[in-house]
């Protein structure tokens, strides 16, 4: 009886579980179902902003700011001189947090930033060492520079042309932290840094690049497009952001992203495929993702082909690749050792890590003749002792991932079933105890 009960309950629960899984695309559904979206160039660029700008210092190539109890150091990028206000672009931002002291002031001397606490102790940045012979120069109430006098008067700045002894200008806003560094005078108003030049004042805008948006790019349908391949070389536009990705393992969820950089000039690359708004490319033995709009396809690839040494050859390697790029993700045929292939040409391009042969291989499957076209790296073909009807040597890699994935799913399913059996058994035992107690109670009442 208990056996029948468990089997029925297990069948019901397992069926419900499988139906629920099917309704969500199967047990092996993952984030890879999402469309690939590589960030736009603007998604990497952020304006430096502050929540509580308390003090600042200006070095030769960097600014340092006390924002609350943090220090933000902005390394100057390029200055956009065409804009109405000074805009620094492509700068690097470094944030220092978790200070054990209260930050009150910051200064720059000989290219080194120093900060002080409320007790007057001075520390060097970034190591935090105490500097006994260094003083942090405080902000001033009045500065004279290049014939102009800048004075903070009742929280506003008054600018006086001392040479002409006439014009006096009040700058709108509540200002503090009046300082002079290098050839400029600065002050803070409304969590922004102002630069003064005579009677003119401008807010300094600082843009920095943050590559973190490229760390979570869904692979989308990349696994399929890497195998549905047509030989294409492209040019990546100068200034385009590219993120290095690892294609040495099967693609699931998100690309395994490495360093992101901008192309310093128009750069030649091999197109591996498109996925969503992204182009997957390779340069040498490295692969990248970038915006599809960042690449321009070559019209003719015939100039890169020469006549091969043989028209038929035997494969010495273990795979034919969909593209001239040696990674597991671009397998067109595996395993393929010993396959007799037709050789249609030899491919050479400086973008590739080596020369490749373009090959075709035909085989019978379920009464149909199937043909695979792809590429084999130079050195892994031989024209000696070729037998036209040779079949590939079957020697699947024990670590071949597709099998591992199936095995993993089966193991997970077995674990789930065992857990369900255990739960069903515990439920049956619990119900049996209740029935037994009920019978004992009833038997006692009858006595």
């Amino acid at each position: 009886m208990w056996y029948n009960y468990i089997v029925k309950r297990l069948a019901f629960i397992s069926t419900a579980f499988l139906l629920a899984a099917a309704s969500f695309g199967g047990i092996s559904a993952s984030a890879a179902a999402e469309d690939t979206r590589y960030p736009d160039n603007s998604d990497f660029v952020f304006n430096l902003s502050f929540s509580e700008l308390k003090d600042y210092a200006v070095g030769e190539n960097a600014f340092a700011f006390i924002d609350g109890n943090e220090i933000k150091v902005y390394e100057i990028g390029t200055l956009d001189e065409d804009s109405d206000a000074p805009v620094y672009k492509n700068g690097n931002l470094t944030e220092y947090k978790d200070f054990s002291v209260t930050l009150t002031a910051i200064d720059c001397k000989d290219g080194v930033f120093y900060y002080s606490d409320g007790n007057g102790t001075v520390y060097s940045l970034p190591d935090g060492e105490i500097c006994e012979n260094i003083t942090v120069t405080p902000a001033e109430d009045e500065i004279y520079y290049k014939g102009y006098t800048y004075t903070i008067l009742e929280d506003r700045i008054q600018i006086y042309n001392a040479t002409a002894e006439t014009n006096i200008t009040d700058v709108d806003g509540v200002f503090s932290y009046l300082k002079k560094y290098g050839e400029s005078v600065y002050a803070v108003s409304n969590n922004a840094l102002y630069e003064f030049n005579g009677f003119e004042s401008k807010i300094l805008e600082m843009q920095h690049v943050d590559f973190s948006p490229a760390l979570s790019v869904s692979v989308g349908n990349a696994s399929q497009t890497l195998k549905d391949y047509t030989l294409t070389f492209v040019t990546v536009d100068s200034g385009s952001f590219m993120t290095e990705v690892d294609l040495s393992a099967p693609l699931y969820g998100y690309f395994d992203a490495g360093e992101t950089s901008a192309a310093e000039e128009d750069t030649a690359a091999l197109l591996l495929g498109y996925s969503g708004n992204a182009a997957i490319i390779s340069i040498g033995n490295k692969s990248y993702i970038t915006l599809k709009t960042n690449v321009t396809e070559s019209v003719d690839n015939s100039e890169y082909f020469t006549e091969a040494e043989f028209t038929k050859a035997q494969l010495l390697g273990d795979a034919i690749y969909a593209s001239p790029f040696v990674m597991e993700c671009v397998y067109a045929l595996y395993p393929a050792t010993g396959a007799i292939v037709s050789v249609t040409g030899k491919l050479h391009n400086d973008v590739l890590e080596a020369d490749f042969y373009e090959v075709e291989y035909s085989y019978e499957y379920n009464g149909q003749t199937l043909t695979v076209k792809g590429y084999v790296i130079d050195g892994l073909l031989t024209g000696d002792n070729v037998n036209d009807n040779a079949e590939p040597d079957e020697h699947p890699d024990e670590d071949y991932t597709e099998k591992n994935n199936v095995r993993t799913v089966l193991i997970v399913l077995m674990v789930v079933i065992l857990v369900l059996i255990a739960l069903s058994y515990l439920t049956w035992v619990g119900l049996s105890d209740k029935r037994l107690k009920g019978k004992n109670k009833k038997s006692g009442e009858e006595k």
Side-chain angles (χ1 to χ4, degrees):
M1 180 182 293
W2 65 268
Y3 173 80
N4 291 335
Y5 173 81
I6 290 177
V7 170
K8 290 179 181 179
R9 294 297 296 170
L10 179 57
F12 173 79
I13 295 172
S14 299
T15 302
F17 171 78
L18 293 173
L19 287 174
S23 67
F24 288 96
I27 297 172
S28 59
S30 69
E34 298 176 6
D35 195 19
T36 304
R37 185 194 177 281
Y38 190 77
D40 293 329
N41 291 340
S42 59
D43 292 336
F44 292 114
V45 180
F46 298 84
N47 288 326
L48 181 59
S49 59
F50 309 98
S51 57
E52 186 185 0
L53 181 54
K54 294 162 57 175
D55 197 10
Y56 63 92
V58 183
E60 183 177 354
N61 295 305
F63 293 83
F65 304 90
I66 295 179
D67 187 19
N69 210 52
E70 302 177 0
I71 294 179
K72 297 180 179 179
V73 177
Y74 176 82
E75 297 178 40
I76 296 174
T78 57
L79 179 62
D80 185 359
E81 298 179 350
D82 295 332
S83 60
D84 295 334
V87 177
Y88 294 101
K89 294 185 175 182
N90 302 321
N92 294 321
L93 177 65
T94 305
E95 298 178 281
Y96 300 93
K97 304 178 180 180
D98 302 324
F99 288 95
S100 59
V101 300
T102 301
L103 306 177
T104 57
I106 194 166
D107 198 3
C108 184
K109 298 179 183 295
D110 299 325
V112 178
F113 290 112
Y114 299 90
Y115 62 91
S116 63
D117 59 18
N119 298 319
T121 305
V122 177
Y123 308 82
S124 59
L125 191 72
D127 48 44
E129 293 184 359
I130 296 177
C131 305
E132 296 181 353
N133 299 321
I134 299 292
T135 58
V136 171
T137 304
E140 303 179 56
D141 292 329
E142 185 173 283
I143 292 176
Y144 175 80
Y145 184 62
K146 289 186 177 181
Y148 290 86
T149 300
Y150 304 85
T151 305
I152 290 186
L153 186 63
E154 296 179 352
D155 292 335
R156 72 181 188 277
I157 284 187
Q158 188 178 83
I159 303 175
Y160 172 59
N161 187 333
T163 302
E165 296 184 353
T166 51
N167 294 335
I168 296 178
T169 299
D170 285 333
V171 181
D172 293 336
V174 177
F175 286 87
S176 59
Y177 299 106
L178 180 65
K179 293 184 176 184
K180 175 187 172 299
Y181 284 101
E183 300 296 315
S184 299
V185 175
Y186 304 89
V188 170
S189 178
N190 195 27
N191 282 327
L193 183 64
Y194 282 71
E195 182 182 57
F196 294 91
N197 181 14
F199 290 124
E200 296 182 357
S201 62
K202 296 180 179 180
I203 298 177
L204 291 184
E205 184 178 343
M206 301 177 188
Q207 295 180 347
H208 64 97
V209 177
D210 182 356
F211 294 129
S212 59
L215 298 178
S216 300
V217 179
S218 174
V219 301
N221 64 341
S223 296
Q224 183 61 39
T225 58
L226 287 172
K227 291 176 171 55
D228 296 340
Y229 182 79
T230 301
L231 180 67
T232 307
F233 292 98
V234 297
T235 299
V236 183
D237 297 337
S238 174
S240 300
F241 289 110
M242 304 185 300
T243 301
E244 186 175 348
V245 292
D246 183 7
L247 299 183
S248 62
L251 299 177
Y252 297 103
Y254 300 98
F255 285 100
D256 184 359
E259 181 180 355
T260 298
S261 58
E264 296 182 356
E265 58 185 4
D266 288 354
T267 305
L270 171 69
L271 177 67
L272 301 179
Y274 295 117
S275 181
N277 74 338
I280 309 169
I281 61 173
S282 70
I283 302 173
N285 61 355
K286 293 186 177 180
S287 49
Y288 304 85
I289 50 175
T290 186
L291 279 177
K292 185 188 296 186
T293 53
N294 287 340
V295 303
T296 303
E297 296 184 10
S298 299
V299 176
D300 185 13
N301 296 314
S302 60
E303 61 179 296
Y304 305 120
F305 281 96
T306 58
E307 186 175 349
E309 301 92 325
F310 30 63
T311 57
K312 278 192 176 297
Q314 187 172 36
L315 188 64
L316 302 177
D318 63 354
I320 296 175
Y321 296 90
S323 64
F325 184 66
V326 181
M327 284 290 175
E328 180 178 332
C329 282
V330 293
Y331 281 161
L333 181 66
Y334 176 93
T337 303
I340 303 302
V341 297
S342 298
V343 183
T344 57
K346 191 171 185 178
L347 174 64
H348 173 82
N349 186 293
D350 292 339
V351 169
L352 307 177
E353 61 174 324
D355 289 347
F356 284 79
Y357 292 95
E358 187 178 66
V359 302
E360 289 185 358
Y361 173 72
S362 299
Y363 61 98
E364 296 293 327
Y365 182 75
N366 286 343
Q368 293 183 323
T369 300
L370 303 179
T371 300
V372 173
K373 182 177 180 180
Y375 299 86
V376 178
I377 196 168
D378 189 13
L380 293 182
L381 283 180
T382 177
D384 300 331
N385 301 320
V386 174
N387 298 317
D388 287 345
N389 297 320
E391 294 292 334
D393 291 340
E394 294 291 338
H395 63 289
D397 187 346
E398 293 180 0
D399 296 325
Y400 188 42
T401 309
E402 289 183 7
K403 293 185 177 180
N404 286 346
N405 290 335
V406 173
R407 183 172 56 192
T408 300
V409 172
L410 291 176
I411 291 173
V412 170
L413 185 57
M414 289 175 63
V415 171
V416 170
I417 291 174
L418 289 173
V419 170
L420 292 174
I421 291 173
L423 290 176
S424 299
Y425 177 74
L426 292 175
T427 302
W428 178 83
V429 170
L431 293 174
S432 297
D433 289 342
K434 290 181 178 180
R435 287 195 298 268
L436 182 58
K437 290 179 180 180
K439 289 181 179 179
N440 291 337
K441 183 177 179 181
K442 183 175 181 180
S443 176
E445 289 176 353
E446 290 176 353
K447 290 180 179 180

